[in-house]
Amino acid sequence: MPINYYIFLSVALFCIGVAGVLTRRNAIIIFMCIELMLNAVNLLLVAFSKMHHAVLPVLDPNAGINGQLFVFFIMVVAAAEVCVGLAIIAMLYRNTHSVDVNFLNRLKH
Amino acid sequence: MTLTQFLFWFLSALSIFSAIMVVISKNPVHSVLWLIIVFFTISGHYILLNAQFLAIVNLIVYAGAIMVLFLFVIMLMNLNAETEPQKNKWLKITGVIGGGALLLVLVAALKDADTRNQMAQMGTGDIGLIHNLGMALFKEYVIPFEISSILFLSAMVGAVVIGKKE
């Protein structure tokens, strides 16, 4: 497939994630939209690694493998991020009984 | 239209529709279920690109572990459509306009980029297999791999410390 299709698909998914972060007020949904954006970037990295591999398979049999390993490390960091983030949201809910981000503006005052 | 092209268009349409449903669902549990469908379609894309290891890791880590964690937290908090925070209509409109403007700018910028004639290799090429990825991971990238294990340990300790009752 042309690489442009993958670029536009990833851009569309990323922008849906951005729109979700801007419109939703529930902290957990905002967190899920961030995961959506991370996955759009992962998909684009894998597509680019396969594009790079298609250009230079003879010179370097491992051309493009860095992109896939980078996706692997992004997944590792995302798992750690979700673990800490959900702990923070659970603690906020225990203290305020709400996950509305409009309500959680105490750092402003 | 070959089978690969058909699968590409089908998975793309399904992933964009599910992503939109994640954002517009009123009930947080439905949002989580739609997001799981998005992860499955992205794993399907990885399989089409012959990145088999990443497809399986995506399913196990995202659709398996992370989304179960999300569902667990939502059920712990007893969130549903009635307790959904009320939002301002203008805020919603400006958010959609902001996302749409970003989409417009990115598409306009990338439409005529040099990548027009490049193709992504579908179904062939063996860089996505676990043998090659493992060789590269444990030879060139062994230090980042070990550092990521320290990151996991600190995240685990952090989650326990934050979630602990005072």
Side-chain angles (χ1 to χ4, degrees):
Chain A
M1 301 295 287
I3 192 73
N4 265 10
Y5 293 175
Y6 279 103
I7 293 176
F8 293 141
L9 172 65
S10 300
V11 164
L13 284 176
F14 190 87
C15 291
I16 291 169
V18 170
V21 169
L22 293 177
T23 50
R24 297 304 296 262
R25 299 290 93 203
N26 186 333
I28 294 179
I29 309 278
I30 289 176
F31 216 46
M32 280 161 47
C33 290
I34 292 172
E35 296 298 313
L36 188 63
M37 288 193 271
L38 280 173
N39 265 277
V41 173
N42 281 352
L43 176 63
L44 195 56
L45 275 172
V46 173
F48 272 134
S49 98
K50 294 298 284 188
M51 181 194 93
H52 192 59
H53 186 67
V55 177
L56 303 163
V58 186
L59 289 175
D60 180 8
N62 273 348
I65 207 166
N66 301 330
Q68 303 209 3
L69 282 172
F70 200 53
V71 171
F72 180 70
F73 283 114
I74 289 175
M75 284 178 182
V76 168
V77 174
E81 172 231 338
V82 164
C83 162
V84 175
L86 280 179
I88 291 174
I89 291 176
M91 192 201 63
L92 286 176
Y93 183 77
R94 207 165 59 211
N95 288 334
T96 62
H97 293 284
S98 164
V99 286
D100 187 349
V101 292
N102 281 346
F103 186 66
L104 302 173
N105 56 3
R106 286 197 193 148
L107 279 183
K108 229 162 67 176
H109 304 301
Chain B
M1 193 187 242
T2 61
L3 183 65
T4 308
Q5 279 175 321
F6 172 75
L7 282 173
F8 174 83
W9 290 113
F10 175 71
L11 288 173
S12 304
L14 188 60
S15 58
I16 288 182
F17 173 74
S18 315
I20 291 173
M21 289 306 288
V22 170
V23 175
I24 65 175
S25 288
K26 283 271 180 291
N27 193 334
V29 177
H30 293 170
S31 283
V32 172
L33 296 177
W34 283 113
L35 194 57
I36 290 174
I37 296 177
V38 175
F39 290 153
F40 269 94
T41 56
I42 286 177
S43 279
H45 276 297
Y46 290 164
I47 290 171
L48 281 185
L49 287 164
N50 212 21
Q52 299 164 7
F53 174 67
L54 286 177
I56 295 299
V57 168
N58 196 44
L59 278 189
I60 293 173
V61 173
Y62 271 109
I66 292 181
M67 296 327 285
V68 168
L69 205 61
F70 270 102
L71 266 183
F72 188 69
V73 170
I74 286 174
M75 287 173 181
L76 199 72
M77 294 176 182
N78 200 14
L79 298 177
N80 47 40
E82 286 82 50
T83 58
E84 179 67 19
Q86 290 302 312
K87 44 196 175 282
N88 192 341
K89 193 182 73 186
W90 288 106
L91 207 63
K92 221 175 355 180
I93 293 171
T94 38
V96 172
I97 289 174
L102 180 65
L103 179 69
L104 194 71
V105 168
L106 284 175
V107 167
L110 294 170
K111 185 163 52 72
D112 296 324
D114 279 343
T115 55
R116 250 180 313 175
N117 302 320
Q118 304 273 12
M119 302 290 278
Q121 198 178 30
M122 309 289 284
T124 52
D126 52 1
I127 55 166
L129 305 186
I130 191 162
H131 177 256
N132 297 319
L133 278 177
M135 292 301 262
L137 184 63
F138 288 109
K139 278 182 176 162
E140 297 168 53
Y141 289 88
V142 67
I143 305 236
F145 182 76
E146 298 295 343
I147 291 174
S148 69
S149 72
I150 298 173
L151 176 75
F152 256 127
L153 186 67
S154 56
M156 195 175 74
V157 172
V160 171
V161 169
I162 291 170
K164 195 176 54 156
K165 267 211 164 69
E166 296 302 322

